[in-house]
Amino acid sequence: KAKQAGKNRAQPYAPHMQADALARVHLEADLRMAVEQRAFELHYQPIVDCASGALVGAEALIRWKHPERGMISPLEFIPVAEECGLIVPIGEWVLREVVRQRRDWLARGHPPLRLTLNVSGVQFREAGLPELVRTLLAEFGTARSSLVFEITESVLMGGSENVEARMCDIKEQGICFALDDFGTGFSSLSYLKRFPVDIVKIDRSFVRDCPDDRNDATLVEAIINMAHSLGLRVTAEGVESAEQREFLRALGCDYLQGYLIGKPLAADAFEALMAPLRSAAAAPHCTESC
Ligand code: C2E
Ligand code: MG
Ligand code: MG
Ligand code: MG
């Protein structure tokens, strides 16, 4: 590993590769420090009911507040964190933060929205995950249901009874599973049938050119119909236009997420968005389980 080579030693790489390797070493060191200092923040992107437009939940998305570089995208540091194992403490922080935030919002009279968070495959396979979930739910005394773990198809791939048993263990604690970025992996319909998944999230890349691109439109329609026939709900990701929203609505898509609905917001800004719903009797879509 580049890290073990030390940064002052000559490396047998082309100059650009050396620069890349060095940048990577720095990123990893900075990330290690960020974990110690909890230099992360969660932003919340609204998810609405497709038919009514009602706010039903939010996806928690991590941000890294780097001292010199400002906010760093998870697209840049999550893969690094997965490779060097830092994803485990980071993922634990995310889970704790979401559970804590949810308790605080409920305590302040906000409706029980469904909060979803991304669980890396590395984190999912950690032996202690079900126990961590149990501990956090006990610590923050939150009611069952309305927490969703987003995993990707790669987690299910090659996964055997272990994966299924683990999902069931976590589900028993009232947590639902969503299959993120659906369609980009080695999508297999058999996964949807075999594993206890509740929600399918159609990847943004398929929604982007809908409804104009006939292939994408056909694919999106097929995913929605297939998911529904298996008893699953569907969230469309990356909804940016009213045309896309109408198209998805006509197909009976369940939930929408995307810049048209709202960008990810800092916790206090998201709370302001929820304020009109405060103590409003119900928010019927939110209390149902996945
Ligand atoms: P994702 O889980 O598929 O999250 C959706 C991403 O699409 C987010 O990017 C969101 O800001 C972006 N997005 C949402 N709506 C739109 C839209 O209408 N147009 C466009 N162009 N983009 C949209 P973000 O926040 O940069 O996160 C990127 C990825 O990083 C996530 O993809 C997820 O895979 C990963 N990630 C984020 N937070 C966490 C985390 O806490 N833990 C783990 N393990 N991964 C995370
Ligand atoms: Mg996600
Ligand atoms: Mg996604
Ligand atoms: Mg995605």
Side-chain angles (χ1 to χ4, degrees):
K1 260 186 135 177
K3 195 181 171 204
Q4 281 141 5
K7 49 181 174 179
N8 296 320
R9 211 185 297 170
Q11 289 175 10
Y13 297 139
H16 76 277
M17 286 192 66
Q18 191 174 349
D20 285 355
L22 206 58
R24 166 62 197 258
V25 170
H26 284 153
L27 190 68
E28 199 178 312
D30 287 357
L31 197 52
R32 211 167 282 281
M33 198 150 7
V35 169
E36 277 165 28
Q37 300 173 346
R38 304 273 185 267
F40 303 104
E41 205 170 90
L42 290 181
H43 284 200
Y44 294 86
Q45 185 175 31
I47 298 174
V48 298
D49 178 83
C50 187
S52 69
L55 183 68
V56 294
E59 177 173 4
L61 295 158
I62 196 169
R63 303 292 180 253
W64 175 9
K65 296 173 290 175
H66 190 281
E68 286 123 39
R69 296 177 51 198
M71 287 289 186
I72 300 185
S73 160
L75 294 173
E76 186 177 344
F77 71 87
I78 291 290
V80 175
E82 285 175 333
E83 275 176 50
C84 67
L86 285 172
I87 191 66
V88 175
I90 291 173
E92 181 170 339
W93 178 83
V94 170
L95 181 57
R96 170 176 289 270
E97 181 60 11
V98 167
V99 172
R100 180 204 62 78
Q101 184 68 81
R102 181 169 172 273
R103 181 205 52 190
D104 288 359
W105 280 339
L106 286 173
R108 292 204 281 275
H110 293 292
L113 294 186
R114 183 183 298 151
L115 295 184
T116 83
L117 57 124
N118 296 280
V119 175
S120 152
V122 178
Q123 188 189 1
F124 181 81
R125 285 185 288 270
E126 271 291 296
L129 183 63
E131 194 49 38
L132 176 67
V133 171
R134 233 180 296 280
T135 306
L136 289 175
L137 291 181
E139 181 179 343
F140 291 96
T142 43
R144 292 167 67 87
S145 111
S146 74
L147 260 190
V148 182
F149 282 4
E150 296 192 2
I151 55 174
T152 55
E153 293 156 284
S154 61
V155 172
L156 307 181
M157 265 175 60
S160 43
E161 279 103 64
N162 284 338
V163 173
E164 205 180 332
R166 169 150 300 201
M167 287 177 80
C168 290
D169 190 353
I170 292 170
K171 276 177 72 86
E172 270 166 24
Q173 303 179 59
I175 288 167
C176 298
F177 279 96
L179 210 47
D180 205 356
D181 305 337
F182 189 77
T184 59
F186 296 84
S187 305
S188 159
L189 306 186
S190 66
Y191 290 151
L192 290 184
K193 221 173 109 105
R194 164 142 180 235
F195 294 98
V197 171
D198 307 278
I199 297 169
V200 168
K201 297 191 78 170
I202 305 178
D203 192 68
R204 186 170 91 220
S205 58
F206 301 108
V207 174
R208 191 182 49 218
D209 299 325
C210 278
D212 302 332
D213 184 305
R214 282 318 300 162
N215 290 332
D216 285 348
T218 305
L219 203 72
V220 165
E221 180 173 11
I223 294 173
I224 291 172
N225 291 338
M226 177 226 17
H228 282 167
S229 69
L230 290 168
L232 309 179
R233 313 274 184 95
V234 182
T235 302
E237 296 192 302
V239 179
E240 294 186 355
S241 73
E243 292 73 37
Q244 290 166 347
R245 182 186 56 204
E246 294 319 310
F247 170 74
L248 291 158
R249 200 173 267 169
L251 294 180
C253 184
D254 300 279
Y255 309 113
L256 304 179
Q257 180 178 353
Y259 292 170
L260 176 73
I261 317 300
K263 292 200 169 177
L265 298 167
D268 52 355
F270 186 79
E271 186 166 356
L273 196 77
M274 282 190 295
L277 304 174
R278 206 125 140 222
S279 323
H285 301 287
C286 313
T287 46
E288 68 190 14
S289 68
C290 306

